[in-house]
Amino acid sequence: MTITVPFVDLKAQYATIRDEIRDAMTAVLEETAFIQGPHVEGFERTFAERLGVAHCVGCSSGTSALTLALEAVGVRPGDEVITVSHTFFATAEAILGLGAVPVFVDVRADTHLMDPEAVASAVTPRTRAIVPVHVYGGPCDMDAIGAIAARHGLKVVEDAAQAHLATCQGRMVGTLGDAACFSFYPGKNLGAYGDAGAVTTADPALAVRMRSMRDHGRAAKYEHDAVGHNHRMDGLQGAILAVKLRHLDGWTEARRRAAALYDRHLGDLGLSGIRPGPGCRPVHHLHVVELPEGIDRGALQAALQAQGIATGVHYPIPCHLQPAIDGRPGSLPVTERLAGRILSLPIYPEITEAQIAHVCRALRDALVPQPA
Ligand SMILES: *Cc1c(COP(=O)(O)O)cnc(C)c1O
């Protein structure tokens, strides 16, 4: 029997919730509640309750969530926003889209997360906000980042696109800044069946502003207070997300078991998954290992692919070195070194012990010289 291991397996998950999804979608179709409406409102309410935050504003993607949140906290053209380069491009894109300037800081070598010391030295009189990214599903050091923000009067917008239900010191990601942005892209831990996103906040005024801005800056049906966007969430996505949210705790525990199993198999090779700081419970959106010096990553990925194993790299080109941004090579040494050495192994709630064992066996065969 040959085992194959896809990088994610959305079909396996769909098979477990097919009937619930069909009923939820049928309800939206029967009600023709296609844009926003009761199914989106229902999801917003339950997601806010699960996180323990007052407000959730559903929107069209994680990227539009970042745009809405940054705009609402007052980021204006020319403002500086401190963030990391070791993230998906959308984090920087949302800042640039507002005419603001992303100021990239390095990550910590152990956690791969925003380095608070680097943030402290990047603050200038033009800094307006900080965007920590809970990359791989691991919470950033929000106490340290929050203290810097408080000292300088800066806003904090979490990029929680990969970190639904992650906690630090028992506090939930999505409640640790002025606002937090979630993506429900299909492959995320909580994924819609299309594009969708949300912003959470404890601040009622921010929530009101974002609800207006996601819907053409509307105050009433044909009265526009501001020039906004069309960043609304579809009714179908709201209904699907409400179904999937009921399963998210179980799926998160399954990811934690998979990550622990990888570490058991690979710890002796020095290939443990990257973890956030003490007291934090990550949600393992990605299972990233750092390859030893001198390993040809492309050749390793090809060898794994030959065994039916799909892998990824998150991310091979840091934001500041993207052609669209064209920053200075050498300016972020940790980020740039990691980009060449990281490898993401398959992880999803439905991955089996046999699949994980197969990945680990293939990795060991490729990395450890075989006795003649
Ligand atoms: C996925 C992702 C986004 C963008 O979300 P979309 O829903 O694809 O627009 C932003 N930031 C990070 C860290 C992400 O992983």
Side-chain angles (χ1 to χ4, degrees):
M1 187 188 67
T2 57
I3 300 181
T4 62
V5 192
F7 190 67
V8 293
D9 193 345
L10 299 182
K11 282 185 186 163
Q13 182 169 93
Y14 172 61
T16 67
I17 54 174
R18 184 181 280 121
D19 293 346
E20 288 173 90
I21 292 288
R22 193 194 43 233
D23 291 349
M25 290 182 74
T26 301
V28 175
L29 299 179
E30 296 293 335
E31 294 163 31
T32 62
F34 295 128
I35 307 251
Q36 298 191 150
H39 296 275
V40 170
E41 286 161 22
F43 169 69
E44 288 175 335
R45 225 166 18 245
T46 46
F47 192 59
E49 271 166 26
R50 180 63 189 84
L51 263 49
V53 66
H55 307 280
C56 170
V57 179
C59 62
S60 55
S61 70
T63 309
S64 61
L66 284 162
T67 302
L68 289 168
L70 290 167
E71 197 175 49
V73 301
V75 171
R76 296 291 171 262
D79 288 348
E80 292 178 359
V81 177
I82 297 172
T83 191
V84 288
S85 182
H86 185 58
T87 179
F88 180 59
F89 186 66
T91 312
E93 192 180 33
I95 296 165
L96 287 160
L98 291 170
V101 180
V103 174
F104 296 111
V105 296
D106 222 337
V107 292
R108 288 179 53 122
D110 53 352
T111 63
H112 296 193
L113 296 166
M114 176 177 262
D115 182 350
E117 286 178 27
V119 173
S121 35
V123 174
T124 76
R126 299 165 71 94
T127 309
R128 174 76 60 169
I130 306 172
V131 180
V133 183
H134 307 304
V135 78
Y136 315 158
C140 295
D141 183 349
M142 294 302 289
D143 286 340
I145 293 164
I148 297 163
R151 196 149 65 238
H152 297 280
L154 308 175
K155 300 295 185 181
V156 176
V157 174
E158 299 173 75
D159 183 338
Q162 302 186 2
H164 321 70
L165 304 190
T167 61
C168 209
Q169 262 79 43
R171 295 157 69 215
M172 191 65 92
V173 154
T175 68
L176 305 175
D178 294 282
C181 302
F182 291 88
S183 167
F184 306 122
Y185 180 80
K188 296 289 161 77
N189 287 26
L190 179 59
Y193 289 165
D195 275 310
V199 187
T200 54
T201 182
D203 181 340
L206 271 190
V208 166
R209 208 170 311 150
M210 292 188 291
R211 284 184 197 288
S212 163
M213 292 303 281
R214 73 174 167 181
D215 189 21
H216 303 292
R218 259 192 245 269
K221 188 162 185 184
Y222 291 119
E223 186 191 335
H224 302 269
D225 279 345
V227 177
H229 315 274
N230 178 350
H231 284 346
R232 297 173 301 218
M233 186 189 282
D234 286 348
L236 283 170
Q237 303 309 339
I240 289 161
L241 287 166
V243 168
K244 293 185 75 176
L245 181 55
R246 299 201 287 263
H247 299 274
L248 185 57
D249 283 281
W251 290 336
T252 302
E253 284 313 313
R255 285 177 182 274
R256 288 180 172 143
R257 283 194 297 273
L261 196 54
Y262 269 124
D263 283 355
R264 259 206 314 284
H265 281 296
L266 296 174
D268 68 306
L269 292 179
L271 292 180
S272 296
I274 302 303
R275 294 297 168 86
C280 292
R281 294 202 76 204
V283 292
H284 307 281
H285 173 60
L286 297 168
H287 190 80
V288 174
V289 298
E290 216 175 298
L291 297 174
E293 194 78 58
I295 297 292
D296 179 339
R297 182 173 61 194
L300 176 62
Q301 289 188 276
L304 294 172
Q305 191 61 64
Q307 302 288 315
I309 298 160
T311 54
V313 177
H314 300 86
Y315 295 90
I317 307 173
C319 290
H320 71 291
L321 301 182
Q322 292 289 346
I325 291 183
D326 201 21
R328 192 163 49 81
S331 56
L332 299 174
V334 179
T335 295
E336 291 172 37
R337 183 170 55 77
L338 292 181
R341 292 175 56 161
I342 45 182
L343 181 69
S344 304
L345 303 180
I347 193 162
Y348 42 90
E350 300 77 16
I351 195 168
T352 64
E353 291 192 17
Q355 284 176 311
I356 290 173
H358 180 59
V359 174
C360 296
R361 209 160 37 233
L363 252 181
R364 188 175 291 275
D365 287 349
L367 291 175
V368 181
Q370 302 299 302

